[in-house]
Amino acid sequence: MWWGAELKLTSAEAEIYVSNRDPYKGSLQYYQRLSNRYDTRNLIGAKKKNSTVPIVCVNLLRSGEGKSESILVQHFVESLNYIRSTRKLQNSRIYLINYDWHANIKYKGEQQTIEGLWRHLKEPTVTVGISDGDYLPSRQRFKDCRGEIISTDDVEGAFCLRSHQNGVIRFNCADSLDRTNAASFFGSLQVFMEQCRRLGISLDSDLAYGYQSSVNDNYGAYTAPLPPGWEKRSDAVTGKIYYIDHNTRSTTWVHPCPDKPWKRFDMTFEEFKRSTILSPVNQLADLFLLAGDIHATLYTGSKAMHSQILSIFNEEAGKFKQFSAAQNVKITLQRRYKNHVVDSSRQKQLEMFLGMRLFKHIPSVALHPLQVQSRPFACFLKPVASMFPSSHGGASLLSFKRKDLIWVCPQAADIVELFIYLGEPCHVCQLLLTVSHGADDSTFPSTVDVRTGPNLDRLKLVLEGATIPQCSHGTNLLIPLPGPISGQDMAVTGAGARLNCQDTSSISLLYDFEELEGQLDFLTRVVAVTFYPATSGRSSMTLGEMEVLGVSLHWRGIFTNEGHGARLYDIAKKSQKETNPFSSVGSDINPFAEASYDNASQLNSSANSPLVDLLTGEITRVDAIQQPVRENINYSGGVDLLDFLDGADIQPSHSHGDFTSPSSQDGKSYLDNGAKQYISCFRSLIGQNSERRLDFAEAMKLEVERLRLNLSAAERDRALLSIGTDPATINPNALIDQSYMGRLCKVANSLALLGQAALEDKTTAAIGLENTDSSKSIDFWNISKIGESFCGSSTCEVHAEIVGATPAPSTSSLFLCCQCQRKACKVCCAGGGALLLSSYDSSGCQSQLDVTTNQSVTMDRVICKTCCHDIVLHALMLDHIRVLISSRRSSRADNAAQKALDQVIGFSKNDRSLPWDPQQAIMVRKHLLNGEESLAEFPFASFLHSVETAPDSAPYLSLLAPLNSEPRHSYWKAPSSASCVEFCIVLGSLSDVSGVLLVISPCGYSTADAPSVQIWASNKINKEERSCVGKWDIKSLISSDSSFHGPENLGRDSKVPRHVKFAFRNPIRCRIIWIMLRLQRPGSASVNLEKDFNLLSLDENPFSQEVKRRASIGGQIETEPCLHAKRILVVGTSVKKEMDIESTQGSDTIKVKAWLERLPQLYRFKIPVEAERLCNNDLVLEQYLPPVSPLLAGFRLDAPSAIKPRVTHSPSLGVDIWDTSITFLEDRYISPAVLHIQVSILQESDNMVTVAEYRLPEAKPGTQMYFDFPQKMQTRRISFKLLGDIAAFADGPAESDNIGFGSSPVATGLSLSNRIKLYYYADPYELGKWASLSAV
């Protein structure tokens, strides 16, 4: 039951009260959980005669008149009557035993209290029983078991249960700590004695009398079973029974197990003590004492009270009793103090310990943290230049062990460009920079550009001109990275706002109305970072450690079809059944579909065109031809939750319903239809002649329709601009005043936390129950579609939504409002979330909301819209929009993951060949590698450049995928026009390469189409520095080995496919391998299948249809040649530990150290301010300067303390509380929130002119960041304005607890108060020794 207590500072008892609303909420589920857990009637070996499950409640509360706990005793009885009235526990019987523990001890003493408890527990304990059985040492004896068999792989043999416990006995007091622990011990003591008896362990002491004299003396007709190896016989002369122990070959007149079941229930306390060996009893008491102290410490912060009774069997119980009395007084004072002072903090500790309310206590911590993809196997593709003579190419810049590293670039470098090859493909989310410099902090770069892509040919700009402030040495700066944004979207989205650019006072606190959707790519492998100095050519730049953070797919699980990767694989394969995986589907087809990568290269180079490296500009060269190492291998044999969310129209992020991408054939029409429907909804609101303007509620409903139609913000703006409408005129952020917007955001944020708490409580309450969800007609938000949002029932008594005409009779369902008791139709009812905000009064105010404790709110009730305040209805609508935006983001991430998977594996609907058997794939890999390692296997290895690929080919990344990752007949092939293809493979780590294996595709090569192979190796991407390993001609195999002639059929019993190994003379230590395949006679038409034969041809599936043979499968005509392959394997040994980077000592190092220690010529000094003014929720700071002041050089900004919360909306339908996407990519990483600070000065014409705008990185709160102006300035007034995604930031838990409901809607951690200081540069020697007092 739901109850509370009013604590008092005095020694008086707390005043207990029971909730006057739904006090028995959850009681039925509690007993259902007990019934399901302890119902053993259907188990094998269970007693069929048990028709019910007994649930015995031993209530230890005080029931005397005048006692505060007596009200709980009364409600305990009423709660059981309520449960019986529901008739939902037909198979269970609940028995209540009221046993006032304290009153019995006070008036009867401890011994009689224990005896009385045993009398109450005897019948229930015998009825419930205990589980027992036998241990079967061998599994061959399972057939002898006549009960339930329990076995595990860890234990040899199994357990056979003959009988089962049916039902449960549970104890409770007020807090279920002290009295509960004591009573449970004495109840468990009787069970412990019976367990020992059944195991043949006698705890009878030598002082026992009458119990072992005769079997029938005290126990009537009861005869105990004999132990194994014993036999019962009678004397032929006297007829007296005796017993034979065949184990020891001895006889006895005494029954070996004369004990009566549960015999100690009938004993008095003194009889129990005299007849029992007390050592095991005292050890059991010690366990209960320890457990009681642990639970009491967790719950109350002190040890358990009234524990002296547990030592009643101890010889020193008297001494303990005297000590315990004083200890109880001390514990009482401790609890009284902690209840008044630290109760709330202790509650938070318990919730965090249990993993509950994490969104409240640690709101910014991600459930799935980003991974550092720049280590441990990442590298620089080009050496980073340095003033040190030996620097190992900059590898230390990616090492987390060199936090104090200061990398000095060559003198007067205009830019420093770094190409980072990530250790695993991922979607890049953040760039972490460690500021490193000497005495002069201006040597660190001032701006940075970032480009990302799957290889060097497909790098796209994601960040341009981001400001890097000057900070102290060792400062960590985190730069969020969005995905590449379409230029068309940037040109359109926000166009309406730019028409009204003079009005910049409004802040988008509700949501981002003009969200730009960047492209998501989970195959990003190369990150190009370009640094620019503060002053070009003035001095050398210094760099520090850097990290690239992102989210990677679970590739191991995808390839092995295990765990979370199997789920992603199944979803991706299902979505490709009706879509050509190699067709290019752009983002203009579906707003949820990203701009997919076409597997076929878009390079229109001819066969004789040179291959140009984007970084070096070199072309490939051809050397002499060697003979390959030939292997003719043909092995035979082988290895054979929420009720109030039900009915919502929001799909879960992992679903594929409304958010499923359409096929390429109907994609364009799908988009056109969506835009047309949106325009139709818009015109239905404003009229065909645009005679009226939208109000706030209508604009919000229009945004709901836009998201339901899967339109992005850019597509919405295109549609509105096509009919001459300014998108800014329907921006909900601009249609209400700032004060109301602030209150609305507060209510919506509270609703989000309450919704998450309700989902968490429902998930917790459902533990142990089969299914507690029930369908509801009204969901959490109940937002009607445009055109359907009016009352259509004549029997409705509310009529909250009426549009002009009289409502027609309707047979729709009616609901009873829980407040006004009127009948309301569905349209006139508020969403279920309004019940969580029912404490708002008519003025729209509410006290501080607390989601730490459980909310006793019944979500199966209904409240009409007239009984809800307008701000509550608007909050439901705002929360609904935020949920739709989040679902759209998650769907975009899921689609991007599916496309990434398709670019690695490929799903061809025409390929019906069977995949590799997992065990067979392991054997194939083992024989192919022959004891060596596979060094170029995706995802750890990848291609450095794009590879030309035919439209109907498998993706080129499949050449590096594991063997069992795609159908057996799938393979890669080049376009028919390509006579030469080069593969540039970056290995997973620095390795000693011994050779390359080329697994031939199923179609095989003909005599005229066999290519030549040339291989290079290097540690750098500069082709001039690579070394040629050798050249091989596959065509020579035809004349040298007749076993390669003709096709070869390999069934499932074959261990390896046909392959060729190109072995190196000596292992080569390298990181990059180049492999070139070249046709000898490009465009040759000299091959005919009727005259020539196929080489390395195999049909890996003997049951598949015959493959049509051509000179080359990829050719357009039968005589057209083509390059193709199935797999490329690089074999050798990886270098486990790379060389340690050692600092060199020499004249250059000494010079560099001296240069770093050189002090700057100019220092920063503070400029005094006459006055300053804060406005717009402290996001704008205006400073007034004296008439005579130095030229402004820049300003110092202390990093804000606001955080990015993980939860910004209530949960959508069917969502998992631990996962919002199959990619584990959170909303705040899909569309990262970024802050900007805009600087404006007052010119002579009394106009404020913007002079600079800086993108703020994320840093530790309070970090001092220095921003220099583009040029020195003189002014009387300067203004700083914080811009960007203000609504995405919130205060931390410590600040939130001290903030009232009526405070600013903007996070106080974003306030510019006391955060900005102006400075100028000057020589300290010219200013004198007092200059240090004004240093900034």
Side-chain angles (χ1 to χ4, degrees):
M1 69 191 72
W2 294 92
W3 63 278
E6 293 290 342
L7 300 179
K8 301 179 180 179
L9 293 176
T10 62
S11 59
E13 292 185 1
E15 182 179 350
I16 295 177
Y17 61 92
V18 177
S19 176
N20 55 6
R21 187 177 63 182
D22 302 325
Y24 312 133
K25 172 202 170 188
S27 300
L28 179 61
Q29 288 83 353
Y30 170 76
Y31 290 105
Q32 284 177 337
R33 186 182 299 110
L34 290 178
S35 178
N36 295 338
R37 182 177 301 173
Y38 296 102
D39 184 2
T40 58
R41 294 169 300 148
N42 297 325
L43 297 178
I44 300 176
K47 297 179 180 180
K48 300 300 182 180
K49 63 180 182 180
N50 294 331
S51 60
T52 60
V53 180
I55 301 176
V56 183
C57 302
V58 182
N59 180 27
L60 306 173
L61 293 169
R62 296 179 177 179
S63 57
E65 185 178 355
K67 299 297 182 181
S68 59
E69 295 178 353
S70 61
I71 186 176
L72 298 180
V73 177
Q74 300 172 7
H75 278 275
F76 208 139
V77 177
E78 294 179 8
S79 67
L80 296 183
N81 294 332
Y82 162 76
I83 293 171
R84 295 189 184 100
S85 65
T86 61
R87 297 185 178 181
K88 294 184 178 181
L89 289 175
Q90 298 293 333
N91 298 324
S92 301
R93 291 295 181 266
I94 304 176
Y95 304 94
L96 175 61
I97 300 176
N98 287 318
Y99 193 72
D100 191 334
W101 184 262
H102 285 325
N104 278 275
I105 290 181
K106 181 177 180 181
Y107 296 109
K108 297 181 180 180
E110 294 178 346
Q111 295 184 7
Q112 294 188 24
T113 299
I114 297 172
E115 295 173 2
L117 179 65
W118 285 345
R119 287 193 295 270
H120 284 292
L121 293 179
K122 178 182 178 181
E123 183 178 353
T125 305
V126 174
T127 302
V128 171
I130 59 176
S131 301
D132 66 352
D134 297 318
Y135 170 67
L136 305 178
S138 175
R139 302 205 173 204
Q140 283 75 18
R141 296 184 55 188
F142 282 7
K143 60 183 180 181
D144 300 333
C145 178
R146 299 188 180 277
E148 182 184 8
I149 297 177
I150 299 177
S151 62
T152 61
D153 296 335
D154 301 333
V155 179
E156 185 178 357
F159 298 92
C160 177
L161 292 182
R162 294 190 305 267
S163 63
H164 297 77
Q165 172 184 334
N166 184 65
V168 64
I169 302 176
R170 40 86 66 211
F171 298 81
N172 76 272
C173 56
D175 51 10
S176 296
L177 285 179
D178 308 322
R179 288 170 283 180
T180 300
N181 187 54
S184 299
F185 165 70
F186 293 105
S188 303
L189 180 58
Q190 293 287 352
V191 177
F192 172 68
M193 304 303 294
E194 177 64 15
Q195 290 173 337
C196 292
R197 187 197 68 80
R198 296 192 187 185
L199 292 174
I201 303 173
S202 177
L203 296 182
D204 293 339
S205 65
D206 296 335
L207 299 178
Y209 54 93
Y211 293 105
Q212 296 183 359
S213 60
S214 174
V215 178
N216 299 323
D217 287 346
N218 297 306
Y219 312 120
Y222 169 77
T223 301
L226 293 175
W230 284 77
E231 182 183 1
K232 174 184 176 183
R233 291 185 182 180
S234 61
D235 185 79
V237 179
T238 63
K240 188 175 180 181
I241 302 297
Y242 69 96
Y243 302 90
I244 303 175
D245 184 5
H246 294 286
N247 301 313
T248 62
R249 296 183 178 181
S250 60
T251 61
T252 179
W253 297 105
V254 180
H255 194 288
C257 298
D259 290 346
K260 176 185 177 181
W262 308 104
K263 68 176 183 179
R264 283 179 168 80
F265 266 126
D266 298 326
M267 295 182 183
T268 64
F269 178 82
E270 289 298 333
E271 290 175 346
F272 183 98
K273 189 173 182 180
R274 290 197 308 267
S275 63
T276 307
I277 300 175
L278 298 179
S279 177
V281 175
N282 290 327
Q283 293 182 21
L284 182 64
D286 292 339
L287 293 177
F288 273 81
L289 282 170
L290 179 61
D293 287 342
I294 291 175
H295 287 85
T297 302
L298 288 174
Y299 187 67
T300 66
S302 63
K303 292 184 178 181
M305 296 174 59
H306 312 295
S307 300
Q308 74 280 357
I309 195 173
L310 270 69
S311 302
I312 195 171
F313 295 104
N314 198 318
E315 297 296 335
E316 300 180 353
K319 297 180 180 179
F320 182 81
K321 184 175 182 180
Q322 295 178 358
F323 170 77
S324 179
Q327 185 74 5
N328 289 340
V329 175
K330 177 182 176 182
I331 293 175
T332 302
L333 296 177
Q334 287 180 347
R335 292 185 178 181
R336 186 61 58 91
Y337 170 77
K338 291 183 177 181
N339 285 337
H340 281 282
V341 179
V342 296
D343 183 71
S344 59
S345 62
R346 189 168 62 251
Q347 178 70 25
K348 294 178 182 179
Q349 295 171 10
L350 288 175
E351 290 176 344
M352 294 177 66
F353 175 75
L354 297 174
M356 299 177 61
R357 304 296 193 264
L358 298 182
F359 59 87
K360 171 68 176 179
H361 303 313
I362 43 177
S364 62
V365 176
L367 294 179
H368 305 282
L370 297 179
Q371 305 156 353
V372 181
Q373 302 294 346
S374 54
R375 63 173 188 258
F377 299 114
C379 64
F380 286 109
L381 296 177
K382 290 183 65 176
V384 183
S386 173
M387 295 180 64
F388 289 98
S390 177
S391 57
H392 299 284
S396 58
L397 289 172
L398 300 178
S399 174
F400 67 96
K401 299 179 180 179
R402 303 296 303 272
K403 288 291 185 180
D404 58 342
L405 172 72
I406 303 179
W407 188 274
V408 183
C409 299
Q411 185 107 17
D414 291 337
I415 63 171
V416 175
E417 193 168 24
L418 310 178
F419 290 87
I420 304 174
Y421 177 83
L422 303 180
E424 192 172 344
C426 69
H427 173 65
V428 176
C429 299
Q430 295 174 347
L431 175 65
L432 178 63
L433 301 177
T434 301
V435 177
S436 298
H437 52 74
D440 187 1
D441 59 5
S442 63
T443 59
F444 198 76
S446 62
T447 55
V448 62
D449 295 343
V450 180
R451 292 175 293 159
T452 63
N455 49 55
L456 291 176
D457 301 335
R458 292 160 61 181
L459 292 176
K460 295 183 179 180
L461 186 67
V462 298
L463 184 66
E464 183 178 13
T467 305
I468 302 177
Q470 299 173 19
C471 306
S472 60
H473 175 73
T475 302
N476 290 328
L477 299 178
L478 193 64
I479 301 177
L481 299 177
I485 300 175
S486 169
Q488 295 180 355
D489 289 352
M490 294 185 66
V492 174
T493 304
R498 286 193 291 272
L499 296 177
N500 299 321
C501 59
Q502 299 299 326
D503 182 15
T504 59
S505 59
S506 62
I507 304 174
S508 298
L509 293 179
L510 303 180
Y511 66 97
D512 190 359
F513 180 75
E514 300 169 350
E515 178 180 353
L516 289 171
E517 297 181 349
Q519 176 181 318
L520 305 178
D521 186 6
F522 287 95
L523 293 180
T524 298
R525 205 56 184 265
V526 180
V527 178
V529 184
T530 306
F531 293 104
Y532 300 90
T535 303
S536 178
R538 190 182 69 175
S539 62
S540 300
M541 273 192 293
T542 58
L543 300 177
E545 184 204 7
M546 59 191 68
E547 297 178 358
V548 178
L549 294 90
V551 175
S552 177
L553 300 181
H554 196 270
W555 291 106
R556 175 182 292 274
I558 292 173
F559 293 141
T560 60
N561 199 26
E562 296 176 351
H564 192 76
R567 175 187 170 199
L568 176 60
Y569 183 90
D570 294 339
I571 292 177
K573 195 168 185 178
K574 181 179 178 181
S575 65
Q576 293 293 337
K577 286 184 177 180
E578 300 178 358
T579 306
N580 186 358
F582 303 112
S583 63
S584 177
V585 182
S587 60
D588 58 339
I589 293 178
N590 188 332
F592 281 88
E594 304 301 321
S596 64
Y597 297 130
D598 190 359
N599 291 304
S601 174
Q602 301 300 321
L603 301 177
N604 296 322
S605 57
S606 63
N608 298 325
S609 300
L611 299 178
V612 181
D613 190 295
L614 292 182
L615 296 178
T616 61
E618 291 84 2
I619 61 176
T620 58
R621 295 198 299 267
V622 181
D623 298 331
I625 297 179
Q626 300 180 7
Q627 293 299 323
V629 176
R630 301 181 298 275
E631 293 189 10
N632 182 17
I633 303 177
N634 185 7
Y635 293 95
S636 61
V639 180
D640 241 353
L641 309 165
L642 277 175
D643 291 341
F644 56 86
L645 290 177
D646 295 340
D649 57 349
I650 303 302
Q651 297 295 329
S653 59
H654 56 270
S655 67
H656 297 276
D658 295 339
F659 296 129
T660 303
S661 302
S663 61
S664 58
Q665 289 78 8
D666 59 352
K668 191 64 179 178
S669 60
Y670 172 86
L671 175 61
D672 294 341
N673 290 335
K676 291 178 181 178
Q677 293 181 40
Y678 177 79
I679 294 176
S680 176
C681 294
F682 175 69
R683 285 177 172 170
S684 66
L685 294 176
I686 65 172
Q688 294 297 328
N689 299 323
S690 303
E691 61 270 11
R692 59 185 299 270
R693 297 176 62 89
L694 299 183
D695 57 17
F696 172 73
E698 292 173 335
M700 295 283 283
K701 287 186 177 181
L702 187 61
E703 279 294 276
V704 171
E705 291 298 327
R706 188 263 295 184
L707 293 168
R708 285 174 174 170
L709 293 171
N710 297 343
L711 296 179
S712 66
E715 291 163 347
R716 174 205 60 206
D717 291 351
R718 291 192 188 98
L720 291 174
L721 292 174
S722 66
I723 59 175
T725 300
D726 184 359
T729 59
I730 63 169
N731 184 358
N733 295 280
L735 296 180
I736 54 176
D737 58 85
Q738 291 291 323
S739 61
Y740 184 79
M741 184 189 300
R743 289 194 297 136
L744 177 59
C745 288
K746 284 286 185 180
V747 178
N749 295 338
S750 300
L751 178 64
L753 298 181
L754 292 172
Q756 291 287 340
L759 172 62
E760 193 174 83
D761 292 341
K762 182 178 180 62
T763 304
T764 304
I767 297 175
L769 301 178
E770 296 178 357
N771 186 13
T772 59
D773 291 338
S774 57
S775 58
K776 284 194 61 177
S777 301
I778 299 178
D779 61 23
F780 189 77
W781 306 277
N782 195 30
I783 307 299
S784 303
K785 296 182 179 180
I786 295 179
E788 301 177 359
S789 57
F790 61 92
C791 180
S793 175
S794 59
T795 57
C796 178
E797 300 175 358
V798 177
H799 300 305
E801 301 283 349
I802 296 180
V803 182
T806 303
S810 175
T811 59
S812 59
S813 301
L814 295 178
F815 305 89
L816 185 65
C817 177
C818 62
Q819 292 193 5
C820 65
Q821 302 299 318
R822 291 184 297 174
K823 295 180 180 179
C825 63
K826 181 179 178 181
V827 175
C828 297
C829 292
L835 296 171
L836 299 175
L837 300 174
S838 58
S839 58
Y840 276 87
D841 55 26
S842 59
S843 61
C845 299
Q846 188 190 39
S847 59
Q848 180 72 12
L849 289 173
D850 184 16
V851 299
T852 303
T853 57
N854 293 325
Q855 301 291 321
S856 178
V857 178
T858 302
M859 300 303 300
D860 55 359
R861 298 183 301 168
V862 173
I863 184 172
C864 67
K865 292 183 178 180
T866 57
C867 294
C868 291
H869 195 271
D870 289 341
I871 197 172
V872 174
L873 299 177
H874 291 164
L876 288 172
M877 198 176 302
L878 174 58
D879 185 71
H880 188 49
I881 291 178
R882 291 176 177 178
V883 170
L884 287 170
I885 293 175
S886 176
S887 298
R888 177 181 174 84
R889 291 174 180 173
S890 298
S891 182
R892 288 175 51 218
D894 295 346
N895 291 338
Q898 296 174 22
K899 291 182 180 180
L901 190 59
D902 182 51
Q903 294 178 47
V904 175
I905 299 177
F907 299 95
S908 176
K909 62 182 179 180
N910 297 323
D911 194 343
R912 294 292 184 262
S913 58
L914 298 177
W916 288 89
D917 180 74
Q919 295 297 329
Q920 184 184 8
I922 295 175
M923 295 299 299
V924 168
R925 175 186 172 90
K926 180 179 179 180
H927 287 286
L928 283 175
L929 298 180
N930 195 21
E932 295 183 295
E933 300 179 30
S934 178
L935 306 175
E937 190 167 292
F938 189 87
F940 305 107
S942 186
F943 293 105
L944 193 58
H945 298 280
S946 299
V947 179
E948 292 183 278
T949 304
D952 57 344
S953 165
Y956 64 85
L957 284 175
S958 65
L959 290 169
L960 303 181
L963 287 173
N964 62 332
S965 61
E966 63 179 5
R968 304 178 71 184
H969 280 175
S970 177
Y971 62 93
W972 166 88
K973 53 187 174 183
S976 57
S977 60
S979 62
C980 177
V981 175
E982 184 178 66
F983 306 96
C984 183
I985 304 174
V986 182
L987 306 181
S989 62
L990 185 66
S991 307
D992 294 330
V993 182
S994 62
V996 175
L997 287 174
L998 181 65
V999 180
I1000 307 301
S1001 55
C1003 65
Y1005 288 117
S1006 64
T1007 54
D1009 290 357
S1012 63
V1013 180
Q1014 187 173 6
I1015 301 177
W1016 296 266
S1018 176
N1019 284 323
K1020 303 176 183 179
I1021 61 175
N1022 194 337
K1023 293 185 178 180
E1024 293 181 352
E1025 301 184 25
R1026 67 183 183 178
S1027 58
C1028 181
V1029 179
K1031 261 194 174 184
W1032 296 265
D1033 187 8
I1034 298 180
K1035 183 179 179 181
S1036 62
L1037 292 174
I1038 299 175
S1039 58
S1040 61
D1041 196 338
S1042 60
S1043 62
F1044 283 93
H1045 293 180
E1048 180 179 11
N1049 294 327
L1050 296 178
R1052 285 192 174 274
D1053 293 337
S1054 300
K1055 292 186 178 180
V1056 292
R1058 190 72 65 88
H1059 67 278
V1060 180
K1061 181 176 181 180
F1062 309 101
F1064 301 166
R1065 295 179 180 177
N1066 298 306
I1068 300 177
R1069 178 164 293 186
C1070 61
R1071 185 71 189 264
I1072 303 177
I1073 291 289
W1074 282 267
I1075 303 174
M1076 177 183 290
L1077 301 181
R1078 181 182 291 275
L1079 291 176
Q1080 296 300 314
R1081 293 186 299 274
S1084 173
S1086 60
V1087 180
N1088 193 321
L1089 284 179
E1090 298 179 356
K1091 299 179 179 180
D1092 297 328
F1093 53 85
N1094 293 324
L1095 169 68
L1096 305 178
S1097 177
L1098 54 93
D1099 185 1
E1100 296 178 333
N1101 185 1
F1103 304 102
S1104 63
Q1105 298 179 357
E1106 182 180 358
V1107 181
K1108 295 182 180 180
R1109 315 300 296 181
R1110 296 192 253 191
S1112 191
I1113 292 297
Q1116 298 296 326
I1117 58 177
E1118 189 170 303
T1119 59
E1120 196 171 15
C1122 137
L1123 294 169
H1124 50 85
K1126 185 172 182 63
R1127 286 291 187 277
I1128 296 177
L1129 282 79
V1130 180
V1131 297
T1133 305
S1134 61
V1135 179
K1136 301 300 181 182
K1137 184 177 181 182
E1138 299 187 11
M1139 294 181 298
D1140 294 334
I1141 303 172
E1142 299 178 356
S1143 60
T1144 58
Q1145 298 291 337
S1147 59
D1148 293 339
T1149 304
I1150 297 176
K1151 291 180 181 179
V1152 170
K1153 288 185 176 180
W1155 179 80
L1156 291 174
E1157 295 174 356
R1158 186 176 59 190
L1159 298 176
Q1161 297 180 355
L1162 302 177
Y1163 283 74
R1164 302 183 184 93
F1165 296 97
K1166 180 180 178 180
I1167 296 179
V1169 177
E1170 286 186 343
E1172 61 182 18
R1173 182 171 67 96
L1174 290 167
C1175 54
N1176 287 0
N1177 297 305
D1178 292 354
L1179 298 180
V1180 176
L1181 174 65
E1182 294 182 352
Q1183 293 184 340
Y1184 298 86
L1185 307 179
V1188 179
S1189 61
L1191 294 177
L1192 306 181
F1195 65 96
R1196 189 194 81 185
L1197 174 66
D1198 297 341
S1201 60
I1203 63 173
K1204 295 180 182 179
R1206 178 173 55 88
V1207 173
T1208 57
H1209 56 81
S1210 42
S1212 56
L1213 174 63
V1215 72
D1216 185 358
I1217 60 176
W1218 302 111
D1219 178 21
T1220 57
S1221 170
I1222 60 176
T1223 61
F1224 299 123
L1225 187 60
E1226 297 182 1
D1227 288 2
R1228 49 184 174 173
Y1229 301 136
I1230 298 176
S1231 296
V1234 180
L1235 295 177
H1236 299 260
I1237 189 165
Q1238 186 183 85
V1239 183
S1240 304
I1241 62 172
L1242 181 66
Q1243 289 187 338
E1244 295 181 357
S1245 58
D1246 294 336
N1247 293 326
M1248 296 296 294
V1249 178
T1250 301
V1251 295
E1253 185 172 320
Y1254 304 91
R1255 190 182 196 264
L1256 299 182
E1258 298 179 17
K1260 183 180 179 180
T1263 300
Q1264 297 179 354
M1265 300 182 294
Y1266 299 89
F1267 298 87
D1268 287 345
F1269 294 141
Q1271 59 184 4
K1272 296 181 179 180
M1273 302 174 297
Q1274 186 80 37
T1275 184
R1276 287 292 309 276
R1277 188 175 73 174
I1278 186 170
S1279 172
F1280 299 92
K1281 184 176 183 179
L1282 197 63
L1283 303 173
D1285 303 313
I1286 304 296
F1289 291 84
D1291 291 305
E1295 293 82 2
S1296 299
D1297 293 341
N1298 299 325
I1299 297 175
F1301 177 77
S1303 59
S1304 172
V1306 180
T1308 58
L1310 296 179
S1311 173
L1312 296 181
S1313 176
N1314 298 323
R1315 291 190 183 274
I1316 293 181
K1317 301 291 187 295
L1318 293 171
Y1319 62 80
Y1320 68 98
Y1321 285 108
D1323 190 343
Y1325 294 100
E1326 297 179 0
L1327 298 179
K1329 62 180 181 180
W1330 300 106
S1332 60
L1333 298 178
S1334 61
V1336 177

